[in-house]
Amino acid sequence: MAEPAKAGGKPQRPLSPHLSIYKPQISSTLSILHRASGVVIGVGSLMLTCWLVALATGPEAFDAVQAFLAGPVGLIIMLGFTAAVNYHMLNGIRHLGWDIGRGYELSTMTRTGVLVVLGAAVLTGLEWACVIAMGGVSL
Amino acid sequence: MSLRTPLGKVRGLGSAKDGTSHFWVQRVTAVALVPLIIWFIYTLLSLVGASYEDARAALAAPGVAVPMLLLLAAGFYHLKLGLQVVIEDYVSNDGLRIVGLIVNNLGCAALGIACVYSVLKIGFGG
């Protein structure tokens, strides 16, 4: 076989197909979403830390954190945080099933994947309906 | 023929010296976190619109403080293990990766301790 064309002294070798080559599939998309939601929860844990430390510090600190959480930025963070927690928990249960060797059939994997996404959406909706019903957010 | 020593085989810890403990602890904390997260969401929802005094009184009760401490311990450890894998997978520069792993370890420990200290302070009424 001939040596591939050189550019800048380095041989131009073909790369193996990477993420951008593949059509997004439910399996790979949900897998990367699991990691992404985990990182989002990590960022959200900063918010939980602020809230707990403020509650331990005093009323002024607590009111400041509560005011931030009730503002537009705080609400977006809380919405993202709850959605990420719900998805990560439900998909985590799916992962635990795989760990004990269950649910590996392609049809089962697709079904549980869809269930997880729908479940996370429903849970998030219910939680925020509760928040609104309790007067936590005024529409 | 294997060049592994009999002692190495029995210990089963491999070249990284911690065997399957990362994998296993990630799963054990995951199992613990399922009921704890459901409880946590319920507790947070019950605190919507709560005043400073209400929130402190709620968290001071052992029935809330203890599951909260369990959630914090399992949660921050699970977070540390998960973020570690993300950093190991996506940060290809050796120096940056090591810095990232150290920041992850220290950061998760710091946040976890700040949360635990706060819950204890509220519980003990300081």
Side-chain angles (χ1 to χ4, degrees):
Chain A
M1 251 171 73
E3 182 76 4
K6 290 190 180 189
K10 274 190 161 182
Q12 290 266 294
R13 299 203 173 94
L15 291 170
S16 57
H18 203 34
L19 274 181
S20 55
I21 288 291
Y22 296 106
K23 191 174 114 192
Q25 291 166 308
I26 189 155
S27 51
S28 58
T29 307
L30 296 191
S31 172
I32 195 69
L33 261 182
H34 193 69
R35 283 200 161 186
S37 59
V39 174
V40 168
I41 295 165
V43 176
S45 72
L46 283 170
M47 216 55 253
L48 174 65
T49 308
C50 286
W51 190 80
L52 280 174
V53 170
L55 188 60
T57 304
E60 297 85 16
F62 183 72
D63 288 345
V65 172
Q66 289 287 75
F68 173 75
L69 286 178
V73 180
L75 280 179
I76 291 169
I77 292 176
M78 290 299 281
L79 185 62
F81 184 63
T82 46
V85 165
N86 292 326
Y87 175 76
H88 199 82
M89 179 182 70
L90 292 176
N91 201 48
I93 293 170
R94 191 160 161 254
H95 268 280
L96 288 171
W98 292 332
D99 288 336
I100 56 170
R102 305 227 172 183
Y104 276 112
E105 289 295 322
L106 272 184
S107 57
T108 315
M109 247 173 73
T110 307
R111 201 174 61 240
T112 52
V114 172
L115 273 178
V116 159
V117 172
L118 289 178
V122 168
L123 268 182
T124 310
L126 282 176
E127 284 157 15
W128 283 87
C130 275
V131 172
I132 291 164
M134 291 171 75
V137 181
S138 45
L139 290 178
Chain B
M1 198 193 87
S2 166
L3 291 177
R4 295 182 63 193
T5 64
L7 182 61
K9 272 189 208 164
V10 168
R11 283 187 174 149
L13 297 180
S15 60
K17 310 287 180 235
D18 65 349
T20 55
S21 74
H22 184 288
F23 174 93
W24 184 244
V25 177
Q26 184 93 72
R27 268 69 188 175
V28 172
T29 49
V31 171
L33 281 167
V34 173
L36 287 170
I37 284 290
I38 294 170
W39 167 84
F40 178 66
I41 292 168
Y42 168 79
T43 305
L44 275 194
L45 286 176
S46 73
L47 285 173
V48 169
S51 67
Y52 172 75
E53 287 77 19
D54 292 343
R56 262 195 94 111
L59 228 73
V64 175
V66 172
M68 189 62 131
L69 290 171
L70 290 173
L71 172 83
L72 293 170
F76 276 106
Y77 204 52
H78 189 85
L79 178 64
K80 179 254 164 193
L81 293 170
L83 287 180
Q84 181 187 331
V85 176
V86 172
I87 294 166
E88 286 168 349
D89 282 357
Y90 301 134
V91 184
S92 52
N93 179 288
D94 283 347
L96 262 176
R97 185 170 62 247
I98 290 167
V99 170
L101 290 172
I102 292 173
V103 168
N104 176 41
N105 282 341
L106 298 182
C108 287
L111 291 182
I113 288 172
C115 287
V116 167
Y117 177 79
S118 299
V119 173
L120 290 177
K121 186 167 186 283
I122 294 163
F124 295 138

